């Protein structure tokens, strides 16, 4: 579903990604972990064409990221959920969900509304359809953001630390929605610090540091037999907290 091949990315003199390659199979859940500043979010943004590559290549759903036309195609097949919810504050929840399907996919408004209500049911918020984002909690806003991404019928979902801006008691309601998506077979790439979620849901865990993939393994093997010394050090610091 996703193939990242030898990509490099710099911001000025700061080389953020250094020869990174990664594959994600259809239906697979891949969790990317690592310290802050290791390049995790930049890698995710490169997968969705939000950052241009200096070198290397990205394919999503068989579409090679080359130029504006392919960028539009890739964003048709991939949904992205950010740390901040990025909902339109002047639109109701229902309007947030139907805007792109109606104007981008040219979907019939009534059909778009019906599908939006089904998605709100899926994330546990059908009663909030007429509310504005300012009336929702952070966890509710993030669940709406997930539903909005799903409204475009993506083949893959990218999550960039979706719980990092939430109060601790609201994290579980977002993770529960993501677990349900994984159970339904959605292809997912998740940048997160939630180790419990990674261990429970991921098929593969990737550890990044200093712009490189340092370690990569099936989940159970990753957590029980971390091969790289840097990965072991990362775990030792997390376990002390």
């Amino acid at each position: 579903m996703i193939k990242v091949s030898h990509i490099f990315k710099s911001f000025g003199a700061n080389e953020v990604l250094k020869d990174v390659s990664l594959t994600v199979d259809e239906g697979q859940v891949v969790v990317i972990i690592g310290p802050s500043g290791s390049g995790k979010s930049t890698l995710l943004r490169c997968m969705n064409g939000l950052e241009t590559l200096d070198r290397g290549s990205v394919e999503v759903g068989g579409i090679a990221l080359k130029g504006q036309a392919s960028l539009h195609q890739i964003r048709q097949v991939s949904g992205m959920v950010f740390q901040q919810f990025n909902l339109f504050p002047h639109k109701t929840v229902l309007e947030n969900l139907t805007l792109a399907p109606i104007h981008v996919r040219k979907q019939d408004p009534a059909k778009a509304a019906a599908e939006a209500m089904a998605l709100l049911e899926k994330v546990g918020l059908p009663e909030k359809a007429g509310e504005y984002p300012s009336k929702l909690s952070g966890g509710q806003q993030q669940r709406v953001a997930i539903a909005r991404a799903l409204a475009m019928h993506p083949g893959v979902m990218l999550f960039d630390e979706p719980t990092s801006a939430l109060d601790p008691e609201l994290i579980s309601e977002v993770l529960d929605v993501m677990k349900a998506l994984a159970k339904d077979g959605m292809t997912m790439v998740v940048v997160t610090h939630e180790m419990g979620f990674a261990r429970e849901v991921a098929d593969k865990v990737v550890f990044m540091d200093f712009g490189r993939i340092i370690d990569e393994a099936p989940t159970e093997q990753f957590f029980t037999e971390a091969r790289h010394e840097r990965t072991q050090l990362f775990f030792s610091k997390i376990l002390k907290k």
Side-chain angles (χ1 to χ4, degrees):
M1 181 60 78
I2 300 175
K3 184 178 181 181
V4 175
S5 301
H6 304 289
I7 65 171
F8 291 78
K9 176 64 183 176
S10 296
F11 296 105
N14 182 23
E15 194 173 30
V16 180
L17 296 177
K18 308 168 186 176
D19 196 17
V20 174
S21 296
L22 178 67
T23 59
V24 180
D25 295 331
E26 186 172 356
Q28 194 173 41
V29 178
V30 174
V31 169
I32 304 174
I33 65 172
S36 298
S38 58
K40 306 183 301 295
S41 293
T42 302
L43 173 58
L44 206 67
R45 291 171 66 85
C46 286
M47 291 179 187
N48 201 34
L50 290 171
E51 300 291 352
T52 56
L53 308 177
D54 296 336
R55 277 185 285 161
S57 64
V58 170
E59 289 184 18
V60 181
I63 303 164
L65 181 56
K66 290 181 181 179
Q68 196 64 34
S70 65
L71 181 62
H72 180 70
Q73 288 178 298
I74 282 176
R75 289 182 181 167
Q76 291 268 337
V77 300
S78 64
M80 189 156 181
V81 177
F82 301 87
Q83 297 178 34
Q84 301 298 330
F85 323 121
N86 296 337
L87 299 175
F88 297 114
H90 61 294
K91 300 285 187 182
T92 66
V93 165
L94 187 63
E95 289 169 337
N96 266 277
L97 266 65
T98 58
L99 195 64
I102 291 171
H103 293 284
V104 178
R105 300 184 76 233
K106 308 302 180 185
Q107 194 170 31
D108 174 71
K111 183 178 180 182
E115 289 190 2
M117 287 305 302
L119 286 169
L120 287 175
E121 190 77 44
K122 190 180 185 76
V123 300
L125 293 171
E127 75 284 358
K128 301 296 184 182
E131 298 279 7
Y132 288 90
S134 61
K135 299 294 185 181
L136 307 182
S137 70
Q140 289 171 335
Q141 290 188 61
Q142 192 63 293
R143 283 188 280 160
V144 171
I146 293 171
R148 182 175 65 176
L150 291 171
M152 292 295 286
H153 300 281
V156 59
M157 287 283 286
L158 310 175
F159 293 87
D160 186 9
E161 298 191 31
T163 60
S164 64
L166 300 178
D167 292 333
E169 65 268 24
L170 301 178
I171 289 174
S172 63
E173 63 187 51
V174 174
L175 293 181
D176 285 346
V177 170
M178 294 169 64
K179 290 174 186 176
L181 286 178
K183 189 175 181 181
D184 288 344
M186 174 63 74
T187 307
M188 297 164 58
V189 183
V190 185
V191 171
T192 186
H193 294 291
E194 300 292 336
M195 295 298 112
F197 171 84
R199 190 159 196 168
E200 180 180 349
V201 177
D203 298 298
K204 177 169 69 176
V205 180
V206 174
F207 178 77
M208 291 188 69
D209 197 20
F210 293 109
R212 300 182 186 275
I213 291 178
I214 303 295
D215 213 344
E216 178 182 342
T219 304
E220 194 56 35
Q221 178 184 337
F222 186 92
F223 280 99
T224 57
E225 306 172 23
R227 296 167 292 177
H228 198 282
E229 183 179 343
R230 180 65 186 90
T231 315
Q232 295 170 5
L233 177 62
F234 181 76
F235 280 149
S236 70
K237 290 183 177 180
I238 288 177
L239 293 174
K240 287 178 181 178
K241 293 180 179 180

